[in-house]
Each structure stands twice: as structure tokens, then as C-alpha cells.
Amino acid sequence: MTLDIPGSPAEARVERIAGLAEVRAVRPESVAEAARGRVRRASLLGGSGRLMLLAADHPARGSLAAGGDPWAMADRGELLDRLCTALERPGVDGVLGTPDVIEDLLLLGVLGGKVVIGSMNRGGLAGASFEIDDRFTAYGAGAIAASGLDGGKMLLRVDDADPATVRTLEACAGAVSELAGRGLMAMVEPFVSRRVQGRVRNDLSPEAMTRAIAIASGLGSTSAFTWLKVPVVAEMERVMAASTLPALLLGGEVAADPVAAREGWRRALRLPTVRGLVVGRSLLYPPDGDVAGAVDAAVELL
């Protein structure tokens, strides 16, 4: 079941979003019905050989900030409206999200023919003392397959000083193997991290990212279905030479200079293993508020 409401597209979307709570309360089985009825696309990559995905898994980690607003992503209705606007733009292939967001979008009927990637480990809550112990608290490989999704994404932060790192390493390796066994993409987002004044910080130096990519590439019993999700850093050509796995560029925080950020993506997209973008806040909460314009500018790079 999806929510079909008459009216102008904008009005209908607002009404559909407002109706989600009622559907969830009265007909929770609608989520599974919508998943079963979703038309999947034949392959991950479209005709361009590129992939453009929206990232919407930040709230489940308690990370709600975008730009200068610490609560930008706290309003679920507004987030869904922005996601729907972005998903309607030409060249947008799909979305990455946790079950709650993906299921809202399924009920809204906007994921037909899209690539849908389920976010898996969100237990390392932002700012928590246990942040590196990033447990798998969202999708598992079995649930991803049962829901008809196209793959799973996991975050891997390697902190040499935190023994909890090895638990996350082991869990990610298991997830890579389980997804591959079902023929599904395993998207790994690796970082070398350390605590600075009690806060986890990712080391974005070329050397650290090279090491992170090397570690991530070896996870699991096979790398046949593994993709990487990486930031744009200095010396990207040298960094990306660390692996032959296909990679997608992440967007990160809302950039103070969106033009400069897009130029960084443009340069990195020329590298042979880089196949597209996975961007969330930078496109969903652009400084000028123009979601469609921000998405179109990113798609143009592909």
C-alpha cells in the first residue's frame, strides 16, 4: 500500500506525509506491502555507468545538524519533503537510509525504479563514549534481502587506541560476507579515527585514508560485491590507488562554499574507480534552501 491523495503534486505530497502516522498506527502491514510492490530496477548503474544516491541515515545516529542549525534534521516531515523533492530530480538514482526513513519513502510511493541501500550499523551514537563500538542496530543482511533492497551500507571507524574497533571490524566483515552471499552490494565507509578532547575525529590525511581503504577492501569472505564510500581528500589519485573496488564520494557536512565542494567532486570523479556520489545534508539542506538546484548541480557532474 502507498498513500494516493488527489490534488497538486506539492499539496498531495504534504498530505501523504501528514498521513504517514495514521497508516503506521492503523495498518502497519502496509510497510511490507509497499516493499513487496516496489518495482526494482534491473541494475545498480544506469545508462551513464554512474550512481547518484541521497544519504538519509544521519538521524538514527543522533546526528541532526546541517549547516549552522543543530536541529535541521529533527523534523521528519520536512526531511521527507526534501527527500521527495530530490528523488524527483532527473539523474537521481536512489537513496541510502535506515528502516524508518526507507519505510516512510516506501509508503509515499517514491522508490519505484530506484536503488535503495539500507543503513546497517547506527549503534555508535554521535558523541557517545561508546561511539567506536558501532553495533549493527538497523538493517541486517537478511532484512535487506527480505525487503527487496539493493544493498547495505556500514560505517567503519578504525581507532588504534580503542579496543572496541575490533568488534566493529568483525561485524562489518560478517555483513560484507552475508550481503555478498545474497548478491547484494556491501557499501563500506572507512575512516581512521582518534579521540580529540573526548570527541571522535576522522583523520582525512591521504595516508590515513589510504590505510582505511586498504583495511575496508579486505573485509569479508569475498570483495566481489563490495563498494567503498569515501570523502574527497588531498591527493585523491594516490588514495584511490589503494584499491580496485568501485567507490562513491560522500558529501559530508554542508559546505560553506558549495561551488568549491562540487569542484572537488568533479576532479575525483575522473578517477577510474570512482563511480558516483552519495550525498545527504549538502544537497538536502543547501545554504540557499534550493534543494532541486543543489541536486541538479551535483547530477551535472555525473
Side-chain angles (χ1 to χ4, degrees), residues 55-67 69-74 76 79 122 124-127 131 155 157 199 252-253 281 285:
D57 60 345
H58 305 86
R61 197 180 291 284
S63 180
L64 300 170
D69 184 353
W71 300 104
M73 303 183 77
R76 180 53 56 88
L79 172 60
R122 309 310 286 168
L125 301 182
E131 187 169 348
L155 177 63
R157 290 171 292 187
R199 304 282 293 185
E253 297 282 355
R281 290 165 293 184
Y285 296 87

Side-chain angles (χ1 to χ4, degrees), residues 9-299:
E11 292 172 345
R13 183 164 70 206
V14 170
E15 290 297 319
R16 289 200 306 271
I17 292 172
L20 287 171
E22 178 72 11
V23 172
R24 283 181 170 277
V26 176
R27 292 204 63 221
E29 65 274 14
S30 297
V31 171
E33 292 172 5
R36 287 193 299 270
R38 184 177 80 90
V39 176
R40 295 178 66 178
R41 85 184 205 178
S43 63
L44 287 174
L45 296 175
S48 68
R50 299 286 195 171
L51 198 57
M52 173 70 194
L53 300 178
L54 304 169
D57 60 345
H58 305 86
R61 197 180 291 284
S63 180
L64 300 170
D69 184 353
W71 300 104
M73 303 183 77
D75 187 320
R76 180 53 56 88
E78 182 181 349
L79 172 60
L80 292 171
D81 186 62
R82 289 169 181 262
L83 280 166
C84 289
T85 296
L87 283 164
E88 290 171 353
R89 304 308 300 170
V92 174
D93 294 292
V95 65
L96 154 68
T98 45
D100 55 330
V101 175
I102 297 300
E103 289 166 358
D104 280 341
L105 295 173
L106 282 169
L107 290 172
L108 292 170
V110 296
L111 296 183
K114 299 292 186 181
V115 173
V116 184
I117 306 297
S119 190
M120 304 177 76
N121 60 328
R122 309 310 286 168
L125 301 182
S129 62
F130 50 84
E131 187 169 348
I132 291 297
D133 187 354
D134 208 344
R135 310 244 175 145
F136 280 61
T137 57
Y139 281 112
I144 287 171
S147 299
L149 307 190
D150 302 291
K153 174 258 181 180
M154 61 211 79
L155 177 63
L156 172 64
R157 290 171 292 187
V158 176
D159 183 345
D160 292 344
D162 192 328
T165 294
V166 72
R167 287 193 286 271
T168 305
L169 272 168
E170 183 179 33
C172 287
V176 168
S177 299
E178 291 174 20
L179 288 166
R182 294 169 167 85
L184 298 171
M185 173 202 274
M187 184 190 297
V188 185
E189 181 180 357
F191 292 100
V192 168
S193 307
R194 65 179 184 279
R195 287 195 177 270
V196 178
Q197 297 181 342
R199 304 282 293 185
V200 174
R201 294 288 181 261
N202 297 326
D203 186 342
L204 299 181
S205 67
E207 293 76 16
M209 280 309 306
T210 298
R211 181 170 181 245
I213 287 172
I215 292 169
S217 298
L219 292 176
S221 57
T222 176
S223 62
F225 293 88
T226 304
W227 288 55
L228 301 173
K229 179 173 182 267
V230 298
V232 176
V233 300
E235 301 181 45
M236 277 296 281
E237 185 172 2
R238 175 163 71 94
V239 171
M240 298 311 298
S243 175
T244 59
L245 298 182
L248 300 172
L249 305 176
L250 63 88
E253 297 282 355
V254 176
D257 186 350
V259 175
R262 288 196 296 269
E263 183 55 32
W265 295 340
R266 187 190 304 276
R267 290 194 301 269
L269 282 164
R270 297 171 184 157
L271 300 175
T273 60
V274 178
R275 304 307 297 264
L277 301 169
V278 184
V279 188
R281 290 165 293 184
S282 296
L283 301 185
L284 298 174
Y285 296 87
D288 63 1
D290 184 3
V291 175
V295 171
D296 290 348
V299 169

